Amino acid sequence: MEEPTSTASSLPAAAATDKEGKSAEFHPFSTSTPQIRAFHLAWLSLFSNFVSTFSIPPLIPLIRSDLALTPSDVSAAATASFAGSILSRFAMGPLSHLLGPATASASLSFLTAPAILSAAFVSSPASFLVVRLLVGLSLGNFVANQYWMTSIFSPSVVGLANGVSAGWANTGAAAAQFLMPQIHSLLLSLKLSSSSAWRLSFLIPGIFQLVMAALVLVYGRGRDRALTTESAKLETETASFWGVVVRYGLGDYRGWILGLAYACSFGSELTTDNVVAGYFYDRFGLDLRAAGTIAAAFSLTNFFARPMGGVASDAMGKRFGERGRVWALWAALTAAASGLVFGVVPFVSKRSMGVIAGMTGSGGTMGAVFTQLLLFSGSRFTTQTSISLMGIVIVVCSLPVTFIYFPPTSKLVSKADQDVDGDEDYRLLQSN
């Protein structure tokens, strides 16, 4: 890849770009460049989706009591929230490719915000399940987020950019776990009934999601126009979107393995987010706010854990090439590897990047569905035993990662890329 160059001497160092106009440096505490401003829009928008999705679990003890939910009802609703996310994540890859990630992200947020607002009106186990299903769709924005980062940051820093953007956004789960019991308590102090208080609490995440969707739609679509124009031009010159991009994306075994890796890492994280507050509430007799604070502490690790995964992936990529990224992912998967998964995804296939991102992202929520159904539904296992079994499954399922292969050349060319003769814009170069 060409050495990064600055587009203008008057611009700050963060404006250094590669030949595709992608930022070659990543400064997350700055707002000095269009790429960094897009980064802040992307992670805050996804943050709002996580707040919405995980605003329900910390209030489950209250909702469970008001609606007379059984443990099976609660588990089924939790599974439904992840099932919805599987479909939306898989679809958001191709949609980000066709519409641009900002447009796709804002559209999904606008469509799903009414679902969290309608949580105030649930009156039965069935309506509760439907609300959780529809709210869960918003997590599809994760794929648009990672696609967006990959489209504006160069390979040398894309692992870090993906890690920070996703990690900071994931702390929305922590914010929800901590704030929703506080909001409920505040509304109680205004002499509202407990039932009215938890219902009105959902106005906060719903409004926040709508505001962020509007900001992304207004300020985030500049890069979308360039991406969709370039995409349409290249697809016209080579082959159809469905005939090449989707077909080769789905046919790339590395995407399926990365989906499995993400099912183990992010899938287990989602499951833990769903059960941890209720677990501490029921097992240790903590009040709602204390249980929510503990749950928030778990989710808050995303603030540094995912970015550190990106740092590790980029460092191993520079030192050992893409095999280094893969081995770092495998080593970390036995503990927590969400940040490293998307340090590998951008290097599988540039042409089918959206499809690969969708496959991997949906794998995360699919893992949560299977984990919830197999380990945390019914009374077959205690919660403690289920958590231990989940760890064993992660270690076993990390093994296929070692089979991910990249050609040992200076140019990493996937099967889809090889079939496009002379199309250098679709070929991925090593980051070092």
Side-chain angles (χ1 to χ4, degrees):
M1 178 170 286
E2 293 184 1
E3 290 296 315
T5 58
S6 178
T7 55
S9 59
S10 60
L11 293 178
T17 58
D18 61 19
K19 69 175 183 179
E20 295 181 330
K22 297 181 180 182
S23 178
E25 297 182 15
F26 180 67
H27 301 283
F29 298 103
S30 168
T31 57
S32 59
T33 67
Q35 292 92 341
I36 289 294
R37 290 192 288 273
F39 155 76
H40 287 299
L41 281 173
W43 83 260
L44 281 169
S45 177
L46 184 57
F47 178 92
S48 74
N49 300 140
F50 272 94
V51 169
S52 291
T53 301
F54 290 99
S55 62
I56 295 176
L59 299 182
I60 284 293
L62 302 175
I63 301 172
R64 181 176 61 194
S65 177
D66 272 9
L67 302 183
L69 301 176
T70 67
S72 295
D73 292 331
V74 173
S75 178
T79 302
S81 71
F82 298 145
S85 181
I86 292 172
L87 299 176
S88 63
R89 285 186 174 217
F90 199 88
M92 283 299 281
L95 287 175
S96 294
H97 181 101
L98 292 171
L99 304 177
T103 304
S105 171
S107 299
L108 184 59
S109 286
F110 275 126
L111 289 172
T112 55
I116 190 61
L117 292 171
S118 68
F121 304 103
V122 295
S123 58
S124 66
S127 60
F128 179 63
L129 185 146
V130 170
V131 164
R132 293 224 65 185
L133 172 68
L134 296 177
V135 172
L137 291 171
S138 69
L139 289 185
N141 269 336
F142 170 80
V143 175
N145 173 285
Q146 299 291 271
Y147 188 104
W148 201 350
M149 295 304 96
T150 303
S151 71
I152 60 178
F153 290 101
S154 70
S156 60
V157 296
V158 72
L160 177 59
N162 275 341
V164 175
S165 184
W168 287 8
N170 271 223
T171 61
Q177 299 274 16
F178 177 76
L179 290 175
M180 293 304 287
Q182 311 300 324
I183 295 170
H184 175 264
S185 180
L186 175 63
L187 292 174
L188 285 179
S189 71
L190 299 178
K191 308 304 181 183
L192 293 174
S193 67
S194 179
S195 179
S196 297
W198 70 254
R199 291 174 186 277
L200 288 175
S201 297
F202 294 116
L203 287 173
I204 304 301
I207 292 171
F208 180 36
Q209 183 172 320
L210 285 172
V211 169
M212 286 311 308
L215 290 175
V216 169
L217 196 62
V218 173
Y219 297 107
R221 294 195 299 157
R223 179 72 173 172
D224 276 10
R225 285 187 286 273
L227 286 172
T228 54
T229 299
E230 177 187 9
S231 173
K233 176 177 179 292
L234 288 169
E235 296 308 328
T236 299
E237 292 175 352
T238 54
S240 71
F241 170 75
W242 296 105
V244 172
V245 176
V246 174
R247 180 161 60 93
Y248 280 119
L250 292 176
D252 196 317
Y253 76 96
R254 293 170 296 188
W256 295 104
I257 292 178
L258 289 170
L260 176 62
Y262 207 53
C264 294
S265 52
F266 187 63
S268 58
E269 177 189 333
L270 285 177
T271 301
T272 303
D273 281 333
N274 237 359
V275 304
V276 67
Y279 171 68
F280 279 96
Y281 180 89
D282 293 331
R283 178 170 172 77
F284 299 105
L286 300 181
D287 64 33
L288 207 62
R289 287 184 293 179
T293 300
I294 293 173
F298 170 77
S299 300
L300 197 60
T301 60
N302 277 290
F303 186 82
F304 61 86
R306 273 190 183 251
M308 288 303 99
V311 169
S313 185
D314 286 342
M316 291 293 285
K318 290 176 181 177
R319 179 68 179 85
F320 300 106
E322 304 323 310
R323 290 300 298 169
R325 292 182 185 270
V326 171
W327 283 108
L329 168 59
W330 173 79
L333 193 55
T334 57
S338 295
L340 286 105
V341 174
F342 275 84
V344 177
V345 166
F347 298 90
V348 173
S349 173
K350 185 175 180 181
R351 170 176 289 280
S352 300
M353 180 177 66
V355 179
I356 299 296
M359 292 164 65
T360 305
S362 62
T365 44
M366 190 173 293
V369 167
F370 282 113
T371 302
Q372 188 78 39
L373 287 174
L374 296 177
L375 300 178
F376 292 92
S377 296
S379 56
R380 188 170 20 174
F381 305 113
T382 64
T383 302
Q384 305 97 293
T385 301
S386 295
I387 292 172
S388 298
L389 290 173
M390 188 166 60
I392 295 172
V393 170
I394 291 171
V395 173
V396 172
C397 290
S398 69
L399 295 177
V401 170
T402 61
F403 295 105
I404 294 178
Y405 173 75
F406 290 101
T409 63
S410 61
K411 291 186 177 181
L412 303 176
V413 186
S414 72
K415 179 66 168 64
D417 301 327
Q418 291 172 342
D419 288 350
V420 185
D421 295 333
D423 189 355
E424 293 295 326
D425 286 332
Y426 271 125
R427 298 190 177 188
L428 289 172
L429 308 182
Q430 275 188 316
S431 58
N432 56 336

